[in-house]
Coordinates of all heavy atoms in Angstrom, one line a residue:
F141 N 8.3 -9.9 -14.5 CA 7.4 -11.0 -13.7 C 6.0 -11.2 -14.1 O 5.4 -12.2 -13.8 CB 7.5 -10.6 -12.2 CG 8.8 -10.3 -11.7 CD1 9.2 -9.0 -11.2 CD2 9.8 -11.3 -11.8 CE1 10.5 -8.8 -10.8 CE2 11.2 -11.0 -11.3 CZ 11.6 -9.8 -10.8
K142 N 5.4 -10.2 -14.8 CA 3.9 -10.3 -15.0 C 3.5 -9.6 -16.3 O 3.0 -8.5 -16.2 CB 3.2 -9.9 -13.8 CG 1.6 -10.2 -13.9 CD 1.0 -9.7 -12.6 CE -0.6 -9.9 -12.9 NZ -1.3 -8.9 -12.0
K143 N 4.0 -10.0 -17.5 CA 3.7 -9.4 -18.7 C 2.2 -9.6 -19.1 O 1.7 -10.7 -18.8 CB 4.5 -9.9 -19.9 CG 6.0 -9.5 -19.7 CD 6.8 -10.1 -21.0 CE 8.3 -9.8 -20.8 NZ 9.0 -10.4 -21.8
P144 N 1.6 -8.8 -19.8 CA 0.2 -9.1 -20.3 C 0.3 -10.2 -21.2 O 1.3 -10.4 -21.9 CB -0.2 -7.9 -21.1 CG 0.8 -6.7 -20.7 CD 2.0 -7.5 -20.2
N145 N -0.8 -11.1 -21.3 CA -0.8 -12.3 -22.2 C -0.4 -11.9 -23.6 O 0.4 -12.6 -24.3 CB -2.1 -13.0 -22.1 CG -2.3 -13.6 -20.8 OD1 -1.4 -13.9 -20.0 ND2 -3.6 -13.6 -20.3
K146 N -1.1 -10.9 -24.1 CA -0.8 -10.2 -25.4 C -0.1 -9.0 -25.3 O -0.7 -8.0 -24.5 CB -2.0 -10.1 -26.2 CG -2.5 -11.3 -27.0 CD -3.5 -10.9 -28.0 CE -4.1 -12.0 -28.7 NZ -5.4 -11.7 -29.3
D147 N 1.1 -8.9 -25.8 CA 1.9 -7.6 -25.7 C 1.2 -6.3 -26.0 O 0.4 -6.3 -26.9 CB 3.1 -7.7 -26.6 CG 4.3 -7.1 -26.0 OD1 4.3 -7.2 -24.8 OD2 5.3 -6.8 -26.8
G148 N 1.1 -5.4 -25.0 CA 0.5 -4.1 -25.3 C -1.0 -4.2 -25.2 O -1.8 -3.0 -25.4
I149 N -1.7 -5.2 -24.6 CA -3.1 -5.3 -24.4 C -3.4 -5.7 -23.0 O -3.0 -6.8 -22.5 CB -3.8 -6.3 -25.5 CG1 -3.6 -5.7 -26.8 CG2 -5.3 -6.4 -25.2 CD1 -4.1 -6.6 -27.9
C150 N -4.3 -5.0 -22.2 CA -4.5 -5.4 -20.9 C -5.3 -6.7 -20.9 O -6.4 -6.8 -21.5 CB -5.4 -4.1 -20.3 SG -5.8 -4.7 -18.6
D151 N -4.9 -7.5 -20.1 CA -5.6 -9.0 -19.9 C -7.0 -8.8 -19.4 O -7.9 -9.4 -19.8 CB -4.9 -9.8 -18.9 CG -3.6 -10.3 -19.4 OD1 -3.2 -9.9 -20.4 OD2 -2.8 -10.8 -18.4
K152 N -7.2 -7.8 -18.5 CA -8.5 -7.6 -17.8 C -9.6 -6.9 -18.7 O -10.8 -7.2 -18.7 CB -8.3 -6.9 -16.4 CG -7.8 -7.8 -15.5 CD -8.1 -7.4 -14.1 CE -7.5 -8.3 -13.0 NZ -7.2 -7.7 -11.8
C153 N -9.2 -5.7 -19.3 CA -10.2 -4.9 -20.0 C -9.9 -4.6 -21.4 O -10.6 -4.0 -22.1 CB -10.3 -3.5 -19.2 SG -9.0 -2.4 -19.5
G154 N -8.8 -5.1 -21.9 CA -8.4 -4.9 -23.4 C -7.9 -3.6 -23.8 O -7.6 -3.3 -24.9
A155 N -7.7 -2.7 -22.8 CA -7.2 -1.3 -23.0 C -5.7 -1.5 -23.7 O -5.1 -2.4 -23.4 CB -7.3 -0.5 -21.9
Q156 N -5.3 -0.5 -24.4 CA -3.9 -0.5 -24.9 C -3.1 0.5 -24.5 O -2.0 0.8 -24.9 CB -4.0 -0.5 -26.5 CG -4.9 -1.6 -27.0 CD -5.0 -1.6 -28.5 OE1 -4.0 -1.0 -29.2 NE2 -5.8 -2.3 -29.0
E157 N -3.4 1.2 -23.4 CA -2.7 2.3 -22.8 C -2.3 1.9 -21.4 O -3.1 1.4 -20.7 CB -3.5 3.6 -22.7 CG -2.7 4.7 -23.3 CD -3.6 6.0 -23.1 OE1 -4.5 6.1 -23.8 OE2 -3.2 6.8 -22.3
F158 N -1.0 2.1 -21.1 CA -0.4 1.8 -19.8 C 0.2 2.9 -19.2 O 0.8 3.8 -19.9 CB 0.6 0.6 -19.9 CG -0.2 -0.6 -20.4 CD1 -0.2 -1.0 -21.8 CD2 -0.8 -1.6 -19.5 CE1 -0.9 -2.1 -22.4 CE2 -1.4 -2.7 -20.0 CZ -1.4 -2.9 -21.4
L159 N 0.4 2.8 -17.8 CA 1.1 4.0 -17.1 C 2.1 3.5 -16.3 O 2.1 2.3 -15.8 CB 0.1 4.7 -16.2 CG -1.2 5.4 -16.9 CD1 -2.2 5.8 -15.8 CD2 -0.8 6.5 -17.6
R160 N 3.2 4.3 -16.1 CA 4.3 4.0 -15.1 C 4.3 5.1 -14.1 O 4.1 6.3 -14.4 CB 5.7 4.0 -15.7 CG 5.8 2.6 -16.6 CD 7.2 2.6 -17.4 NE 7.0 1.5 -18.3 CZ 7.5 0.2 -18.1 NH1 8.1 -0.2 -17.0 NH2 7.3 -0.7 -19.0
R161 N 4.5 4.8 -12.8 CA 4.6 5.8 -11.7 C 5.8 6.6 -11.9 O 6.8 6.1 -12.0 CB 4.5 5.1 -10.4 CG 3.0 4.8 -10.0 CD 2.9 3.9 -8.8 NE 3.7 4.6 -7.7 CZ 3.5 4.1 -6.3 NH1 2.7 3.2 -6.1 NH2 4.2 4.8 -5.3
S162 N 5.7 8.0 -11.7 CA 6.9 8.8 -11.8 C 7.9 8.5 -10.6 O 9.0 8.9 -10.7 CB 6.4 10.2 -11.9 OG 5.7 10.6 -10.6

Side-chain angles (χ1 to χ4, degrees):
F141 309 117
K142 195 183 167 200
K143 291 182 183 174
N145 293 330
K146 271 197 190 157
D147 222 18
I149 300 176
C150 174
D151 298 347
K152 284 205 180 151
C153 76
Q156 297 183 23
E157 226 184 290
F158 296 89
L159 299 170
R160 285 180 194 262
R161 280 175 51 166
S162 60

